[in-house]
Amino acid sequence: MADDEKIEDLDTNDLKRVDISNLNHNIEIELTTTTEDDVKKSVNNQAAETDISEKYRDPGVTNISAYQLLLAKYSPYQPENCDFVKCNNRRFRKEWYVSNKWLEYSPTKNAAFCFYCRAFPHQNAEAAFITAGFKAWHKATATFASHNNSVTHKEASAKVIGLRSSFDTGSIATATNTYHKTVVIKNRSYLKCIIETLLFCARQGIAIRGHDESNSSKNKGNFLELLYLRSKDNVLLHEYFVENKNHYRYISATYTNAIFNIMAQQVLLNIINSIKEAGIFSILVDETQDLSRHEQVSFIIRLLTTQFPP
Ligand SMILES: [Zn+2]
């Protein structure tokens, strides 16, 4: 695929971040790149624990779903120091939490729920443990055991275990996202190599392109030959430019001209800023014909800055 046909993972703003700091050929590139640490922070933040008020964790209060609580790394809501109100002369016993890790108690509804089935509800699951709330305390032990062995509860439990393990190992989506960001970092680093090489040619005032840039050419021009030379010491450049593993190299005239235009705009901006800072300046305009009888106009701007550069 030709270089012009594919642009992947490169933000066009990357090109606009090229900073040519002053007019004395002291030109620097500040191409902003995302570091590996930034990637790790971004991934970790996705699973960061959220502070959720106690009252919203009550399964009888439906402001926040059990799935959201699970994502925020909360466990089943198991209050121990509240008043377990009597119903038919029986009441909820906190000892039931021990043998039923999924069990939740709602103080507002005085009822028991299943955290796992609420997080991953199934249409055939027992409504008592998901929406209505279970409160037949006299047959609690047998019902809890029966629910524990139900197919729908086992399915929900497996999903909870899978989700929790993904917090540590990273989900497929997270892994894909991390890979994508790594590719972006590499692409930007490669683009920086291209810009630096172009900048070198521009500062030295040497021609960029060669008369014959084909693969069989023995002299592909300063820009490409310099990239080949740098590739001997630069693994990333070798991978992208010489091996052409990604099938795009950003070395065509379209890309190099775009980069030069941005550099030229930046130089112009720096000149304008210097004039503004100086406040007092003079302009000398001179016109003359070159050998091909084309009129050439020169603008000479003189100003004095506080740094008194030579
Ligand atoms: Zn359940």
Side-chain angles (χ1 to χ4, degrees), residues 159-184:
K159 289 175 182 174
V160 169
I161 292 168
L163 184 64
R164 281 179 173 162
S165 70
S166 75
F167 292 154
D168 300 323
T169 59
S171 67
I172 292 173
T174 304
T176 306
N177 195 28
T178 306
Y179 172 74
H180 174 79
K181 287 181 178 174
T182 307
V183 171
V184 171

Side-chain angles (χ1 to χ4, degrees), residues 102-103 113-118 120 125-126 129-130 147-148 150 152-154 156-157:
W102 46 267
L103 188 62
F113 292 82
C114 173
F115 184 60
Y116 299 172
C117 289
R118 287 201 309 121
F120 295 100
E126 298 165 275
F129 286 100
I130 298 176
H147 180 74
N148 212 19
S150 68
T152 53
H153 175 79
K154 284 180 178 174
S157 300

